[in-house]
Amino acid sequence: MINIDMRSSCYSRFSSANTYCGMAANQSVTGDHLFTFAKSYASFHGYISICVCVFGIITNIFNIIVLTRRHMSTPVNIILSWLAVSDIITMMSYVPFSMHFYCMYPDVNKTPDKNSKSWMTYMTFHINLAATTHTVSIWLCVLLAIVRFVHIRSPTKAFATRRRRMTQSKVLILLIYVWSAISLIPNYMSNELQENLNPESNETTYVLRDLRLGKNDTDALVLVNVWMYAVTAKLVPCLLMSIFGSLLIYNIHVKIRHRRKVLKISGANSMRLTEHSRTTKMLVSVILLFLVTELPQGVLIVCSATVKDFFDTVYLPLGDVMDIVALINNAVNFILYCTMSTKFRETFVHLFCACHFPHSNESIGYTLTDRLAKLDSHSNNNEHQNHINHVV
């Protein structure tokens, strides 16, 4: 599968022809505006993307540390932890690429230093790695929606069931990572470097092979791979996320109405139910961010494969924009977790901001440390007691 979205910004600068010049030769009015915007934004993209990546790497490390606490151990949080791992890998790979090709050498013209064999080889590695981690992330988000939906439909506190669901989630996460790498092997093979020799200066540069998307002579294998990538890594995941995200919203509202009406829940249970609802809304927000990021890319990929010159005149000028939107999506989960999950926020404060936490609660013999320690102890005791009951 050709990872067209990861190649777009790279290809627009490093294809076998000067793509910007080729694009300018056949611009429509809309295409001309996109081309002008692409040139203007490219001068800022490197610095913006590095800032986003640094922020995202740090906050995703926070996510992993918090979500792997014992009292935070759930199938959903395991998925979110490995989603953070995938996002970290994506952004760590992007930083050297952005620094070299956008900050150090912002000019679109090819030079031996910028387009050296070593740096172009790294760029190819970055494209392949980012393609894999990006595919992993979107399918983890699908798994997230499915697992949460199953939990809402069939909630359980039984030790055996909870343990089985945890194991199933870990196995599915592993399968997603392995499947994503294997399914993108055709993509790895398609990203080839070509040697360019300038007869005037006798200088050698390296460029990506031209895919010639949207042309009459596009290779049939390229078209098949583009369609496969659009369907399996964009459209199908987006469809599944839309279905299960909608079901999540519907089911959580039904359950809240049912519990309030039948059980006439107390204040404490109401708070517990509200936190449960917030967790689901937080996960729905994560899903919506992926939909906003991925669905337009899927549509644009299909148009690139079916509409003549669409790839050159529309898709390529938007390459940097799609990159930064994807990077922001990778970086903002920490903000969502802190604002929408009390449990995550309290655990983070306990782990990283304990010295700044108000001491007013200490006067009544209760601190956040005590609360989280009780949560850990309660989790261990429940698992032990449920295990004993299960054995008996």
Side-chain angles (χ1 to χ4, degrees):
M1 286 175 283
I2 306 295
N3 184 26
I4 176 177
D5 57 312
M6 289 297 169
R7 278 183 62 120
S8 58
S9 60
C10 302
Y11 176 76
S12 65
R13 287 171 166 257
F14 314 118
S15 62
S16 56
N18 191 329
T19 309
Y20 279 148
C21 295
M23 289 161 53
N26 56 0
Q27 292 296 315
S28 62
V29 175
T30 302
D32 184 57
H33 290 160
L34 288 176
F35 173 65
T36 303
F37 169 77
K39 289 182 65 177
S40 301
Y41 174 70
S43 60
F44 303 100
H45 176 73
Y47 302 100
I48 296 174
S49 61
I50 290 174
C51 291
V52 171
C53 287
V54 171
F55 173 80
I57 291 169
I58 294 172
T59 54
N60 274 294
I61 291 174
F62 288 154
N63 290 342
I64 294 171
I65 294 173
V66 172
L67 294 171
T68 51
R69 289 277 296 181
R70 180 177 292 275
H71 69 273
M72 299 287 286
S73 182
T74 65
V76 164
N77 287 347
I78 290 175
I79 297 170
L80 291 177
S81 298
W82 283 101
L83 177 63
V85 171
S86 176
D87 290 342
I88 287 173
I89 296 172
T90 301
M91 291 182 284
M92 288 184 68
S93 171
Y94 203 94
V95 170
F97 162 76
S98 184
M99 188 172 294
H100 179 79
F101 291 108
Y102 284 87
C103 298
M104 296 179 63
Y105 299 98
D107 195 348
V108 297
N109 294 324
K110 298 182 290 291
T111 64
D113 291 332
K114 182 178 71 172
N115 293 69
S116 64
K117 186 175 183 179
S118 58
W119 272 106
M120 292 303 292
T121 300
Y122 175 79
M123 189 190 69
T124 305
F125 165 78
H126 159 69
I127 293 173
N128 293 333
L129 179 63
T132 306
T133 54
H134 198 63
T135 304
V136 166
S137 293
I138 192 169
W139 278 105
L140 283 179
C141 197
V142 174
L143 179 62
L144 181 69
I146 295 173
V147 167
R148 187 63 179 179
F149 173 72
V150 171
H151 174 73
I152 290 177
R153 286 294 301 271
S154 305
T156 181
K157 292 184 179 180
F159 173 78
T161 303
R162 290 179 59 191
R163 187 172 183 178
R164 184 176 67 252
R165 288 181 178 179
M166 295 278 285
T167 302
Q168 289 172 345
S169 297
K170 293 175 182 178
V171 171
L172 289 172
I173 291 168
L174 177 62
L175 289 176
I176 287 174
Y177 268 84
V178 173
W179 175 83
S180 298
I182 294 175
S183 65
L184 286 174
I185 289 177
N187 175 71
Y188 308 151
M189 298 173 64
S190 69
N191 291 323
E192 300 177 3
L193 291 182
Q194 293 180 339
E195 186 177 305
N196 252 356
L197 178 63
N198 190 330
E200 297 179 359
S201 60
N202 200 29
E203 293 178 335
T204 301
T205 58
Y206 293 84
V207 294
L208 282 173
R209 180 173 67 91
D210 191 347
L211 298 180
R212 300 193 61 77
L213 281 175
K215 309 295 183 183
N216 294 329
D217 58 346
T218 305
D219 188 89
L221 181 60
V222 170
L223 285 176
V224 171
N225 286 333
V226 168
W227 273 101
M228 287 180 63
Y229 180 76
V231 172
T232 60
K234 299 294 180 183
L235 300 181
V236 170
C238 287
L239 176 62
L240 292 175
M241 282 189 288
S242 300
I243 293 173
F244 285 98
S246 300
L247 290 174
L248 277 175
I249 296 172
Y250 173 76
N251 275 276
I252 192 62
H253 283 299
V254 169
K255 283 189 173 292
I256 288 175
R257 289 198 302 267
H258 177 73
R259 291 184 186 184
R260 285 176 176 170
K261 180 179 180 181
V262 177
L263 301 178
K264 296 181 179 179
I265 54 180
S266 64
N269 285 333
S270 178
M271 290 175 61
R272 181 179 175 183
L273 186 57
T274 300
E275 176 64 16
H276 183 76
S277 175
R278 284 179 181 174
T279 300
T280 301
K281 290 177 180 178
M282 177 190 74
L283 299 180
V284 169
S285 298
V286 173
I287 293 169
L288 287 175
L289 280 176
F290 267 92
L291 283 174
V292 170
T293 303
E294 304 300 333
L295 186 57
Q297 290 187 20
V299 173
L300 290 174
I301 290 173
V302 171
C303 292
S304 297
T306 56
V307 179
K308 185 178 180 181
D309 293 327
F310 186 90
F311 183 68
D312 288 340
T313 59
V314 178
Y315 199 94
L316 287 183
L318 294 176
D320 290 340
V321 174
M322 288 185 285
D323 274 5
I324 196 62
V325 170
L327 291 173
I328 291 173
N329 182 35
N330 292 340
V332 298
N333 285 340
F334 173 78
I335 299 174
L336 287 177
Y337 303 161
C338 281
T339 55
M340 303 187 72
S341 172
T342 302
K343 195 173 182 180
F344 181 94
R345 185 169 57 251
E346 289 182 345
T347 304
F348 174 77
V349 169
H350 166 67
L351 292 174
F352 299 102
C353 308
C355 60
H356 302 294
F357 198 80
H359 299 284
S360 57
N361 288 333
E362 294 181 3
S363 60
I364 59 174
Y366 181 84
T367 65
L368 184 59
T369 302
D370 296 331
R371 177 172 179 176
L372 294 178
K374 289 178 181 179
L375 283 172
D376 280 337
S377 175
H378 180 69
S379 176
N380 290 335
N381 291 338
N382 275 349
E383 289 182 5
H384 179 65
Q385 185 61 47
N386 284 330
H387 180 62
I388 292 175
N389 294 339
H390 179 69
V391 172
V392 174

